[in-house]
Amino acid sequence: MRIGYPCLNTSVGCSPARTFRLASYSDVRLVETVERNLACTDAILHYNVAHGLLAFRLTSDLVPFASHPVCAYAWQERFRPAFQALGAFARQHRMRVSMHPGQYTLINSPREEVFAASVRDLVYHAEVLDLMGLDATARVQIHVGGVYGDRRRSLDRFVARYRDLPAAVRRRLAIENDDRQYGLADCVRLHEDTGTPVIFDTLHHEANNAGESVGDALALAVRTWDTVAGPPMVDYASQAVGERVGKHAAHIDLADFRRFLVASRPHDPDLMLEIKDKEQSALLALQAAGEDPRLVRAVSD
DNA sequence: TCTGGTCAAGGTGGT
DNA sequence: ACCACCTTGACCAGA
């Protein structure tokens, strides 16, 4: 078990997700921004190792507009050494690295142009992890997508589209249950048709489930992972008290987290804490996990 | 230097 | 047909 958090860190004093407006795109602006983003990512990875946080989701904004037609710059070549160094550091410290394209990346859209843009975006995400020299345990997670008025056909379209994805993307894809349309059971069914592993999101499952307990749901998701894809991944979040169902809590609810740790036995997933205050809650979670024998320990230099 | 309106992108659901 | 919302940090024009 590793514990980590997504994308941003509130302590290091920099953002790895600096961007700019499409209207102000230039190659110079791109290079400046990526340089700063990668330097900040380096600072965050060092922070994580120093604090025993060994799971981290890289922000999709590392290379702004990387998959947009406006970007013709060979950022892969320009930043290859920097990506390689980041990846070497992550490997050295046994970090679990992942990425998560946003809500506009939809491989099951019936619209060809949406699918094409989604493929470009997925290729970008896979390229980042490839440049870092990470194996197939570094995953790119997406949701199943839209319903388009016909769940059955949209699930079938997901499978057909999956088969059209470049191998470099298929190798890293993972699907996550969402809070409205496609729950864990749908994801597991898609796993059977595609082989892509399923990331279990605890908060989405609370909002959208087929009656499975957390333990049962986790057992189903765990079976979709193998030694190539790596240990199962779980997105853990707690419900914001008194808010709309599905809204993330601003701080970790330690009592709820401890219940999850118990319910998750005997499985041994890597946990991504999707909580507003980022590494602060992840550190509390690590502390709460205490002497749990499942924890992966940091390797010193 | 501060701030609030705005930002690449798609889909859903209410009107 | 149209529009607010999702979810969010960061940009940036204007004060």
Side-chain angles (χ1 to χ4, degrees):
Chain A
M1 173 180 286
R2 297 174 180 81
I3 291 178
Y5 61 97
C7 303
L8 308 179
N9 177 298
T10 69
S11 303
V12 297
C14 62
S15 168
R18 298 185 64 105
T19 182
F20 46 85
R21 294 288 190 259
L22 179 60
S24 44
Y25 180 91
S26 72
D27 288 349
V28 169
R29 188 77 188 267
L30 180 76
V31 168
E32 284 171 3
T33 305
V34 176
E35 263 170 9
R36 295 180 68 175
N37 285 347
L38 295 186
C40 186
T41 299
D42 185 58
I44 291 175
L45 295 189
H46 278 82
Y47 174 99
N48 290 349
V49 166
H51 291 83
L53 298 172
L54 296 181
F56 187 62
R57 180 189 300 162
L58 296 172
T59 174
S60 296
D61 288 334
L62 280 181
V63 185
F65 306 104
S67 67
H68 191 284
V70 76
C71 178
Y73 183 82
W75 56 269
Q76 297 91 334
E77 302 316 312
R78 171 68 178 74
F79 293 104
R80 183 181 301 277
F83 279 113
Q84 280 177 344
L86 289 171
F89 183 79
R91 286 199 313 273
Q92 180 190 349
H93 295 284
R94 295 195 288 168
M95 295 186 69
R96 185 75 178 279
V97 177
S98 60
M99 298 185 82
H100 189 347
Q103 61 192 317
Y104 301 109
T105 300
L106 296 156
I107 71 168
N108 81 335
S109 174
R111 295 170 52 193
E112 291 301 329
E113 67 273 25
V114 172
F115 177 62
S118 297
V119 171
R120 286 199 306 274
D121 196 45
L122 289 168
V123 165
Y124 153 64
H125 284 82
E127 276 179 328
V128 166
L129 299 172
D130 287 349
L131 286 165
M132 290 174 71
L134 300 173
D135 63 22
T137 65
R139 310 301 295 194
V140 174
Q141 67 186 91
I142 59 170
H143 292 289
V144 176
V147 171
Y148 311 99
D150 189 333
R151 281 174 55 81
R152 183 66 253 162
R153 287 186 62 186
S154 295
L155 284 163
D156 289 345
R157 196 181 316 104
F158 182 98
V159 175
R161 297 288 210 198
Y162 176 89
R163 293 179 176 145
D164 288 338
L165 292 173
V169 172
R170 283 200 311 262
R171 169 171 183 256
R172 295 194 183 277
L173 208 67
I175 48 176
E176 175 192 349
N177 57 306
D178 72 62
D179 59 353
R180 302 174 64 87
Q181 282 139 188
Y182 297 107
L184 184 75
D186 297 309
C187 292
V188 170
R189 224 169 294 135
L190 288 174
H191 162 77
E192 287 160 11
D193 288 331
T194 62
T196 198
V198 177
I199 293 176
F200 178 56
D201 184 302
T202 61
L203 185 55
H204 293 163
H205 185 72
E206 268 181 52
N208 179 18
N209 62 74
E212 316 94 332
S213 69
V214 168
D216 291 347
L218 187 56
L220 288 170
V222 162
R223 282 204 288 275
T224 67
W225 295 81
D226 60 24
T227 54
V228 175
M233 292 170 62
V234 167
D235 286 351
Y236 171 86
S238 358
Q239 169 69 37
V241 182
E243 297 274 2
R244 171 185 62 79
V245 172
K247 183 163 174 67
H248 287 195
H251 309 287
I252 188 169
D253 177 343
L254 281 175
D256 183 74
F257 182 70
R258 287 199 183 89
R259 280 194 293 276
F260 174 79
L261 284 179
V262 171
S264 68
R265 291 185 193 130
H267 308 296
D268 189 3
D270 289 335
L271 305 183
M272 190 67 66
L273 272 74
E274 294 192 322
I275 301 175
K276 277 238 185 306
D277 62 5
K278 302 294 176 181
E279 84 288 351
Q280 300 175 45
S281 281
L283 287 170
L284 291 175
L286 189 59
Q287 207 170 29
E291 298 303 310
D292 195 311
R294 292 176 291 181
L295 281 177
V296 174
R297 301 292 170 180
V299 179
S300 58
D301 290 281

